[in-house]
Amino acid sequence: MNFGKVAVLMGGRSAEREISLMSGNGVLRALRSKGVDAHAFDPAERDLYELRKDSFARCFIALHGRGGEDGTVQGALEVLRIPYTGSGVMGSAMAMDEWRTKMVWIASDLPTPRYRILEAGDKWGAVARELGLPLIVKPANEGSTLGLTKVTKAAQLPAAYEVAAGKFRDIALAEQFIDGPEYTASIVGDAPLPLIRIQAPQGNYDYQNKYFTEDTKYHCPSGLPKKKEQALQDLALRAFRLVGCAGWGRIDLMLDRKGRPWLLEVNTSPGMTGHSLVPMAAKAVGISYEDLCVTILAGAHVG
């Protein structure tokens, strides 16, 4: 298939710029190895309107976080009428906002941990009693677990709130802690890929353990019975579609000690680094990294 001149959007200005550059360069090499006329394009360094000026026919979005995964770039590409990979404007914007994603899931009777929005004047003891301890505090609009704190004492809540709301200038979300294994469900096209079970050191799947250490273990096959895995894949696909997502992405979820699933978040432009989960799940069913990139690119769309 002739894709024409392809821009791999990478970098950007978000807190996840470093990871985006790693993802984008991996995608760039993969597409070039398959004969695609692909070029790096960093929106932090070039105006998006140069895409039209330089005759790019489609874009592979390898941007992560704000400004790249939240509907902003998608909206600009819609105006330019340049096909792009992944979810559209609404799905991207909704999935980036964990608070509103939760409201959609709850309204549709999908399981997600209990939560509340934090404010500076909150009575921290009451928050701890409402959600139980430990609990998770995180920004509502950041990815890669940036700004996330596991709180084990009510006295830790003010500092955790400042990290989430102050450092990242965001709404801070307190969430019920689910004590159990973490899984991720990758979706490419309309099909969920095999689940991956994530085993992080001390259960701490943070930014460092996601991208820069070899200590986190990934299990694919996940070890779940076939029917259980199928049920979780179906749940993930339904959760993905309800938020308005399409193309490709990833749903993160956990099982509690009774085996009940809890949806955590949607990623509409997942990592494509050497540690990333979508390529890992694709490999489990015989899809190479290079072929995965071409498949995602083939799904580029406008509107």
Side-chain angles (χ1 to χ4, degrees):
M1 183 174 180
N2 181 11
F3 296 111
K5 189 176 179 182
V6 174
V8 180
L9 303 187
M10 66 175 86
R13 296 184 176 86
S14 82
E16 298 179 68
R17 174 178 173 82
E18 181 181 12
I19 305 305
S20 174
L21 290 170
M22 292 166 60
S23 291
N25 280 305
V27 170
L28 184 65
R29 289 190 296 269
L31 293 178
R32 285 178 172 174
S33 77
K34 302 296 281 188
V36 177
D37 182 21
H39 305 261
F41 192 103
D42 187 345
E45 299 174 353
R46 301 177 65 185
D47 193 301
L48 285 173
Y49 287 97
E50 291 184 35
L51 290 165
R52 175 63 66 197
K53 175 184 169 186
D54 292 347
S55 302
F56 282 102
R58 63 179 62 198
C59 294
F60 190 117
I61 298 177
L63 297 164
H64 307 318
R66 298 188 193 192
E69 201 171 351
D70 59 2
T72 318
V73 162
Q74 289 78 7
L77 295 174
E78 293 277 345
V79 171
L80 294 171
R81 305 301 296 168
I82 299 175
Y84 58 90
T85 56
S87 295
V89 177
M90 185 190 75
S92 298
M94 182 70 75
M96 191 72 195
D97 188 327
E98 291 190 34
W99 173 28
R100 288 172 175 83
T101 292
K102 277 180 167 291
M103 288 195 286
V104 169
W105 285 342
I106 290 167
S108 302
D109 293 324
L110 293 184
T112 188
R114 291 182 298 114
Y115 76 97
R116 64 168 290 173
I117 301 300
L118 297 181
E119 297 180 358
D122 278 337
K123 297 186 183 302
W124 304 116
V127 172
R129 288 190 296 274
E130 178 184 341
L131 296 176
L133 291 172
L135 57 79
I136 298 297
V137 174
K138 58 185 177 180
N141 294 280
E142 288 290 345
S144 292
T145 63
L146 288 165
L148 182 148
T149 305
K150 181 179 178 182
V151 171
T152 58
K153 300 176 182 177
Q156 298 169 338
L157 276 166
Y161 169 79
E162 284 303 319
V163 169
K167 181 178 179 182
F168 290 95
R169 300 189 300 278
D170 201 348
I171 294 171
L173 195 71
E175 184 178 76
Q176 171 193 8
F177 176 73
I178 303 301
D179 186 10
E182 182 169 354
Y183 296 84
T184 193
S186 301
I187 295 165
V188 176
D190 225 18
L193 295 174
L195 296 184
I196 297 172
R197 179 166 59 88
I198 301 164
Q199 187 178 358
Q202 292 80 52
N204 185 22
Y205 193 45
D206 61 8
Y207 185 77
Q208 187 69 22
N209 284 328
K210 269 190 177 185
Y211 298 111
F212 298 108
T213 74
E214 301 297 332
D215 298 331
T216 301
K217 307 300 180 189
Y218 302 98
H219 303 276
C220 190
S222 67
L224 290 169
K226 186 175 180 180
K227 285 188 177 179
K228 181 71 170 181
E229 174 143 349
Q230 180 67 60
L232 293 179
Q233 288 174 314
D234 291 346
L235 173 65
L237 190 56
R238 186 178 175 214
F240 188 73
R241 289 170 173 166
L242 274 171
V243 180
C245 296
W248 76 297
R250 208 184 72 228
I251 297 274
D252 296 335
L253 64 151
M254 298 186 77
L255 296 182
D256 63 20
R257 291 187 176 273
K258 294 182 179 179
R260 296 174 301 193
W262 298 91
L263 297 162
L264 300 181
E265 63 175 329
V266 189
N267 295 274
T268 55
S269 182
M272 291 290 283
T273 73
H275 285 77
S276 292
L277 301 172
V278 178
M280 197 181 301
K283 184 179 180 182
V285 289
I287 302 171
S288 70
Y289 182 93
E290 292 78 12
D291 286 340
L292 173 64
C293 291
V294 170
T295 298
I296 293 170
L297 182 62
H301 62 95
V302 175

